[in-house]
Amino acid sequence: MKIDFNRIAEGIIPNFKGGKGMYIMKHYSDGQVKVMMGKLRPGHSIGLHRHEGNSEVVYVLSGVATCLYEGEEFTLLPGDVHYCAMGKEHSLINNGTEDLTFFAVVPEHCLAMEEK
């Protein structure tokens, strides 16, 4: 299957998960997996949140991110991947001077487990 983000309408979510500013995103979901292309403008963030029943993989395409993960803070650069395991918490912050763009995948583990 091909997911063409050029044909998916952009959504804007203010203060996503308690973050600052706007989370600009395009996403596809089949009910079990979310596939997203996201953007945070300088000074904007996704708030600290815990992944219950799912995990998340984030691949940075451009910009610089500060990532908070389970009490640690580190920098993500283009080409870096961040993995937030199920039951863990994280946040993504654009402290840079250009837009932060990233690709993310969120599989719903609980739904997959219930079907077995």
Side-chain angles (χ1 to χ4, degrees):
M1 135 178 249
K2 176 180 176 179
I3 300 170
D4 185 352
F5 282 111
N6 293 316
R7 295 178 178 260
I8 296 175
E10 192 171 80
I12 298 175
I13 305 171
N15 310 107
F16 187 63
K17 304 284 186 182
K20 295 180 184 175
M22 299 176 296
Y23 174 37
I24 303 165
M25 56 100 80
K26 295 181 177 189
H27 82 283
Y28 166 83
S29 177
D30 68 1
Q32 293 184 346
V33 177
K34 294 176 194 162
V35 180
M36 299 167 281
M37 188 70 70
K39 182 187 324 182
L40 292 172
R41 298 221 189 308
H44 295 204
S45 67
I46 294 173
L48 188 66
H49 62 284
R50 185 170 305 278
H51 278 263
E52 300 292 345
N54 59 34
S55 59
E56 184 170 15
V57 177
V58 177
Y59 178 80
V60 176
L61 298 166
S62 66
V64 178
T66 299
C67 183
L68 306 177
Y69 178 71
E70 289 293 300
E72 292 184 47
E73 181 176 312
F74 50 89
T75 300
L76 294 171
L77 302 171
D80 286 343
V81 175
H82 161 59
Y83 174 64
C84 183
M86 184 169 57
K88 306 294 183 179
E89 64 181 12
H90 70 153
S91 174
L92 203 57
I93 305 158
N94 183 352
N95 287 327
T97 58
E98 64 181 84
D99 287 350
L100 168 67
T101 60
F102 56 93
F103 176 80
V105 178
V106 179
E108 296 292 337
H109 301 289
C110 287
L111 291 174
M113 296 290 285
E114 290 172 6
E115 291 181 359
K116 289 185 176 184

